[in-house]
Amino acid sequence: MNLFDKLLAKKLYIVLIAIFVFFSWYSWMMPLVADDFAWGHMTLRQYMAQGQFAGINDGRYIANSLMIVLAKTNIGLAFYFGGSLTLIFYLMYRILSKNIGMAGWIFTTLLLLPRVEFAQIYNYNSGFINYVSALIVPLMIILLAKEYILTFKAVKRNNWLLIGLFLLVFIFQLYSEPTTLLNIVLSLSVFIYALVKNKRVQGMFISILLGSISGAGIMFLSGAYGSVASGSDNYRNINIDLIQILKFTSSDIIPITFRNNKALIVSIMLLNIAAVIVYITKQRTKKNWLIVVLLLIDLFSGSILLSTLFYTHVALNLFISALFVIAGCSITLIRLPFNSKEWWLALCCYLSALLLISPFFLISPFGERNVFGPQLFLLLGSCIGITINQKWEQIIVRIGLLLALVSGLMFFVKLGCTTGYASSTNIKFLQYQLEHYRKGSDLAYLEVPNRKFLWHCGQEGNDYWLKLFYGFPQDRVQKVIPYEVWTKKVKIDGASKFFAQQL
């Protein structure tokens, strides 16, 4: 076996290491923004005493505490960011029966997010911790159910494993409310399914159930949720008016989840095309005509979602979106053998997507970061059972996947090398000015490019939380040096000389 073959044999490890290294680097380069600064300015003692931030109280005790700690250590934040994405990829890979191509397809699609969702996921650490890393536990529950219930694999009793699972689930229950609710439903469903199917429940699933219930109990004991229910919360509210719910779904949830995310729609359509082609070429059954009709409906409704047709028409927007989702899910559930392991996994993924998005039909505010989980599970369900065997099909898929992946990663590199570098240089420049301050001179700021990809990032000199976090004065006179100007001068003179010239 030559070196190239050996590398291919280890491709999973290479991919996992690459994901970890690349995204740890990216997180290291990119600045804190908005709530990241606000949480980072607090101490754990202050948080435990106050239990809130900016007047907003919730039960996300672990996620909030984690942000308070990680905001103060760049290396810790980078490792958490890279490690979370690496683990999510690995869990998807295992759920998809070690199909690295399909796991890569999902991962690549989720890199090609629209601008605002991109900003709230990859450039907003508080949003990432709450809505991305929190997905580790529901993915883990689904994988364990696949390995030890759907296939009924025996596992030797290990008390440390049971304690570890309980603690892990308990901790992750204190991240965000949608995943907390999903984990309860998943763990309870898995418990009941194991009891009915196998007439017994393995200890690990009892630990998971106990961890999810006790963690949720701690979260929802927070008085914040009573305030939301009573309508006295100034930030969050509940809407129970059906007409308003339908209008909100049409005007906010559907655009943010689907219409704004062209890559997601195209990805699901391509997955369904590939799945139907594989299905009808392998089998000659009465279901062939039905699955082809469903594919045509899916392509028709998906094409409308890609356009601006019916965008503002509430009823038609809801109808077209429902057609796209129902047709796509039906294709998967029809092509998979009923009651097979894959069929149950696909159904579980689709229901997980629904459970993660459903609270926002009633509760606001709703933002782009809230749809990352539903999008991931929708893609995961659509990928289950897809195998590309023909050589020409593999070549097309690999070329398309490689082009999309390179495009996505190059954009990350661009942001890291421009926006990340400019942000860190700006902080060093401000600190230099304060250390060498001369009376009567202005406090200058460096322009940071691509700020639209940073969530709630104030203009240079007007970011209250950045100034508070780093101890910069709030009331100093400011001037901004354009990005093109200062980068040229830094390249010529070096950062230290450039800094000195500005005083």
Side-chain angles (χ1 to χ4, degrees), residues 140-215:
M140 181 198 71
I141 295 173
I142 292 173
L143 175 60
L144 290 176
K146 173 193 174 185
E147 296 291 332
Y148 296 102
I149 294 180
L150 294 177
T151 57
F152 197 60
K153 185 190 295 183
V155 58
K156 187 177 180 180
R157 182 180 176 87
N158 185 323
N159 291 334
W160 288 111
L161 173 64
L162 300 183
I163 294 171
L165 283 172
F166 172 85
L167 291 175
L168 179 67
V169 175
F170 178 86
I171 288 170
F172 272 86
Q173 285 296 76
L174 304 173
Y175 269 60
S176 67
E177 296 82 3
T179 49
T180 297
L181 295 173
L182 173 61
N183 290 337
I184 292 176
V185 174
L186 279 177
S187 57
L188 185 59
S189 300
V190 165
F191 180 88
I192 295 173
Y193 184 86
L195 201 60
V196 172
K197 181 179 182 290
N198 301 330
K199 308 303 180 187
R200 62 185 289 267
V201 182
Q202 292 171 325
M204 67 171 67
F205 297 106
I206 297 175
S207 290
I208 290 171
L209 178 61
L210 293 176
S212 65
I213 292 174
S214 55

Side-chain angles (χ1 to χ4, degrees), residues 269 272-273 276 291-300 331:
M269 291 166 67
N272 288 332
I273 291 172
V276 169
I291 205 168
V292 170
V293 169
L294 287 170
L295 177 61
L296 293 175
I297 293 173
D298 188 69
L299 297 178
F300 170 75
I331 288 171

